Amino acid sequence: MGRKPNFLFFITDQQRADWLGCYGHPVLRTPHIDSLAVRGARFDDFHTAMPVCMPNRASLLTGRYPSVHGLRHNGCVLSERANTFVEVLAAGGYRTAAIGKSHLQPFTSKPSTGQPDLEQGLIEEAWKPDGVSYQEEEPASYEGEAPYAIHTPYYGYQHVEMVTGHGDKCGGHYGQWFRSAHPDWQVLHDPVNELLHYYRCPQAYRTPVPEQSYPTAWIRDRAADWLRAQAGHDTPFFAFVSFPDPHHPFNPPGRYWSMYGPEQFEVLLPYEAHRNPPPPLRHLRTQWERNRSESNAHAAFCADEQSLREAMALTAGMMAMIDDAVGEVLAALQESGCADNTVVIFTSDHGDYLGDFNLLLKGALPMRSVTRVPFIWTDPEDPEPRTCQSLASTIDIPATILERAGLQPYWGMQGKSLLHCMKRGQGPRDSLLVEHHDNGARMGFAEPARVRSLLTDRWRLTIFKNENWGELYDRQNDPHETLNLWDDAGHAAVRADLTERLVCEMMNAMEESPRAKRLA
C-alpha cells in the first residue's frame, strides 16, 4: 500500500476567480499561484455553496449546504455536533493544522442587527442550546499576553494558530503576537497615523503597519515554520493556510500599496451595461446617486469609476502579497522534503463584485463575480496541466480530498468527489445549487434576503423569497449576465423547466443524517 498523501490547502477571502494570472487577468501577476495550475487541474466553472464567508467556510469543512449544516449566515456558528472532513482525516491518522482565518464561529462580540423583531415566547428557539460557548474566535479570548489555548481538536484541527478579522487590525493569535512584537501597536492602529495617500475609494487607507508585521506575512511565516517541522515525519498531514485578504478594507502594506496603479485597470462592466437591472441593482444605484451610504461596512454598494479603479489596484496589491507568501510557503514545503507527496490546493471562500455594474463587495445578487471562485488542484502523482469545464462546488472539496486520502466520507456529506472529473473530464453533475441567506435587510429588500439559484452550463435561474421578480440569464450567449430573461415570453418554457430542476436540487439538498436505526 502506497503512502497516504499530504495536503497543503491555501484559501483566500473574497477573491473572484478571474483575479489570477492563470484565470486570464490582463494586469495582475500571480506567478506562484499560476505555477500550481501549470502542474495540475484548474476548474473554470467552480462556485461557492453560498457567497458569504462563514456559511461557505462551514460548507467547505462539512461538504454540506448552509441550510443543512446550520451556519446559515454570518453571526451563526457551526455546531460542535457537526462532523467535518478534517475530523475524518484525523481519525485516519492525519496530523491536522489550521493557520490563519477560520471563521467558523463569530469573531466579534457585537450583537446581531437587522433580524426581524419577534415576540419572544417562554422558549426562545426551536432547538435547545448545546451548552457550548462558541467563544474560540471572540476578541475577549485573546486579550491576555499569553497565547490563548484554543480547545482542540477545533473542528478536527489539532494545531490552530488563529487570525480573526480583516485588514491590518486582525486579532486572534496574530493580534497577541502583534501587540508583543510592537509595544507601540496602538500608534500603528491609530487612524491619525495612517500614511498619506490621495485615494477616495471607501474603506481604502494606507496602513503604517510594516509589511513583515501584516497578517499575510505572519500567516506565511507560521505556515512555513509548521511545514518545515514536518520534515522526517512519516505521518501524513493536512495543513489549512487561510489568508484574510484580499477582503476589504483596501490597505495592502508597504510596497504593495503602490505596486499597481488605478490607471492600469478598467471598469469593463459598468452599470449602464445591464439592459434591465433587477431591483436591488437599481436600489444601490439610486442610493449612490442620492449620496446615501450603506450602514453596514460589509454591505455591497455602488461607487464611481475612479473609486472602483482604486479598489482594483489595491486588491491587486493584496493579491500580489498573497502570491509572494504562497511562493515562500511552497519553498518551505520543498525544504521539508514532503513536496513529492503533497497535494496542493488553492481556492477562495467567495468573490467580490469588484466593479461589475459599478458595485463593490458582495450581496444577495448571485452574479458570477461573487459565486465563481478559483479552484486549483496540484497532485504530484498527476502533474499534467488541464482545465476542467464541469460545474463544481465548494461542497465537493471534502469528498475529493477524502477519496484521494483513501478514506470514506460520512453519511450526509452532499458534495461529490471531483477526481473522476480531473482524470476523465466528466463532472459529477449537470446543475448546481447556490444558496443565500442574508442576516439583515439590505440592497432594498424589505426583509433579509432568502435566495436560491440554479446553475447549468447554459443558464442561471435565481428565485428570491416573497418577490414577484427573479433572474434568468443565458450564460453562454450573455456570459456577463447583462440581460435578464425572467419576463421574456420566449423563455417561459426555459424558466419553467429550470424552476422544476431547482426544486429537485433543493430536495436533493435536504437533510438525510442521521439514518434511522429502527424500522419504526
Side-chain angles (χ1 to χ4, degrees), residues 190-252:
D190 193 330
V192 302
N193 296 317
E194 292 171 6
L195 304 181
L196 180 66
H197 70 88
Y198 298 99
Y199 284 5
R200 69 190 190 203
C201 175
Q203 302 192 47
Y205 61 89
R206 193 166 191 178
T207 178
V209 172
E211 281 180 31
Q212 290 303 312
S213 297
Y214 191 75
T216 297
W218 186 84
I219 294 166
R220 173 200 68 202
D221 294 344
R222 300 309 303 139
D225 287 349
W226 192 88
L227 287 169
R228 292 189 188 99
Q230 308 315 305
H233 285 280
D234 293 329
T235 307
F237 65 78
F238 176 84
F240 182 81
V241 180
S242 177
F243 299 104
D245 277 356
H247 195 286
H248 57 284
F250 306 103
N251 62 357

Side-chain angles (χ1 to χ4, degrees), residues 5-6 39 338-344 378-383 404:
N6 306 308
R39 296 179 283 118
C338 300
D340 66 345
N341 190 40
T342 300
V343 176
V344 183
T378 303
D379 190 332
E381 288 196 359
D382 188 13
R404 182 64 180 86

Side-chain angles (χ1 to χ4, degrees), residues 164-212:
T164 61
H166 302 101
D168 61 340
K169 299 180 179 65
C170 288
H173 291 129
Y174 161 79
Q176 291 183 295
W177 168 87
F178 185 84
R179 294 192 297 271
S180 174
H182 296 278
D184 62 341
W185 66 271
Q186 291 172 311
V187 174
L188 292 172
H189 282 177
D190 193 330
V192 302
N193 296 317
E194 292 171 6
L195 304 181
L196 180 66
H197 70 88
Y198 298 99
Y199 284 5
R200 69 190 190 203
C201 175
Q203 302 192 47
Y205 61 89
R206 193 166 191 178
T207 178
V209 172
E211 281 180 31
Q212 290 303 312

Side-chain angles (χ1 to χ4, degrees), residues 56-135:
N56 200 60
R57 286 170 178 266
S59 290
L60 167 60
L61 266 286
T62 62
R64 288 151 60 83
Y65 277 102
S67 58
V68 177
H69 61 57
L71 206 170
R72 303 176 306 280
H73 53 68
N74 282 354
C76 295
V77 301
L78 179 61
S79 172
E80 288 198 0
R81 294 185 61 243
N83 281 315
T84 71
F85 83 90
V86 183
E87 290 176 294
V88 178
L89 290 174
Y94 274 76
R95 283 169 291 121
T96 58
I99 299 169
K101 182 184 176 184
S102 169
H103 216 187
L104 299 171
Q105 297 180 13
F107 55 45
T108 77
S109 54
K110 299 176 182 178
S112 176
T113 60
Q115 297 293 309
D117 293 327
L118 298 175
E119 184 177 347
Q120 185 171 319
L122 296 177
I123 295 178
E124 184 176 357
E125 293 282 358
W127 291 95
K128 295 179 177 67
D130 58 11
V132 181
S133 63
Y134 296 104
Q135 295 177 331

Side-chain angles (χ1 to χ4, degrees), residues 516-520:
K517 301 297 184 182
R518 304 179 188 181
L519 178 62

